[in-house]
Amino acid sequence: MTKAQIWTAAFLGLFVILFFLQKLTSEKPEIPGGMPMAQEEQYPAGKSETAGADLTTNFGCNTCHGTDMKGTKIAPTLVGLKQYYDRDKLINYLRNPQSYMDNDRFVAFKKQYKNIVMPSFNNKDVKDLGKIADYLLKLE
Ligand code: HEC
């Protein structure tokens, strides 16, 4: 080997070593499970109402039903729903509010909130609607 060849070999060797060093140091820390946090994990068990409260903001319920669901000029209060609904019935209502229109309370709502219709949320995940139901049924 000539001197030039030795130098070239030395440089190549150095690059190879640097390359592997860089690989080693830039290794990303392992995320346990390797999956982004599921929504359930963000809300510890039993905290379904907290999740429900957040969802009512996300879904825009409070733009009509007001802060803390206490009602506004354009939509009734959602405090005290427990006397009219259980969890399943409330989920069903949210998915298809128009099918509940024959009852006296809703006849009165129709008059009071003439130009506003409760939108149906049947395009939403039933699990999310369940969390909203848990939240609403706790409001007294
Ligand atoms: C565009 C305004 C509007 C939005 C947004 C809205 N609502 Fe309503 N909601 C109403 C109106 C108005 C009524 C009264 C019934 C009717 O006129 O359709 C009502 C009725 C209800 C009722 C029945 C109350 C009772 O006493 O039986 C529930 C429950 C309800 N809304 C929950 C929700 C939830 C939960 C959301 C969000 C996921 C939501 N609403 C979003 C306007 C709205």
Side-chain angles (χ1 to χ4, degrees):
M1 271 214 267
T2 68
K3 248 191 174 154
Q5 280 173 326
I6 291 168
W7 277 113
T8 326
F11 268 115
L12 275 178
L14 199 68
F15 275 119
V16 171
I17 289 165
L18 280 176
F19 177 77
F20 279 112
L21 267 181
Q22 184 239 335
K23 272 240 149 178
L24 273 178
T25 48
S26 72
E27 198 95 334
K28 295 210 176 61
E30 280 286 317
I31 301 159
M35 290 272 285
M37 265 215 276
Q39 199 160 33
E40 265 78 17
E41 292 170 50
Q42 287 173 25
Y43 300 103
K47 286 284 184 280
S48 180
E49 307 101 61
T50 321
D54 290 350
L55 286 167
T56 57
T57 312
N58 293 349
F59 293 175
C61 315
N62 46 10
T63 58
C64 288
H65 290 282
T67 322
D68 298 330
M69 305 290 134
K70 286 191 174 127
T72 63
K73 282 203 187 106
I74 60 167
T77 177
L78 301 182
V79 174
L81 288 182
K82 208 167 59 182
Q83 55 183 315
Y84 308 114
Y85 300 87
D86 61 19
R87 191 174 193 270
D88 284 346
K89 191 172 171 196
L90 190 48
I91 293 172
N92 276 330
Y93 173 77
L94 297 175
R95 301 188 78 192
N96 190 10
Q98 304 320 312
S99 68
Y100 285 69
M101 283 309 174
D102 46 359
N103 126 358
D104 281 354
R105 248 156 27 84
F106 281 96
V107 174
F109 284 155
K110 238 281 80 88
K111 277 195 201 130
Q112 196 178 345
Y113 310 104
K114 260 195 208 92
N115 302 313
I116 312 286
V117 180
M118 165 68 188
S120 93
F121 290 88
N122 61 357
N123 59 336
K124 302 289 184 195
D125 190 337
V126 182
K127 272 196 210 152
D128 287 344
L129 297 181
K131 286 173 189 164
I132 290 180
D134 289 338
Y135 164 63
L136 293 178
L137 292 171
K138 284 269 157 81
L139 298 177
E140 290 182 59

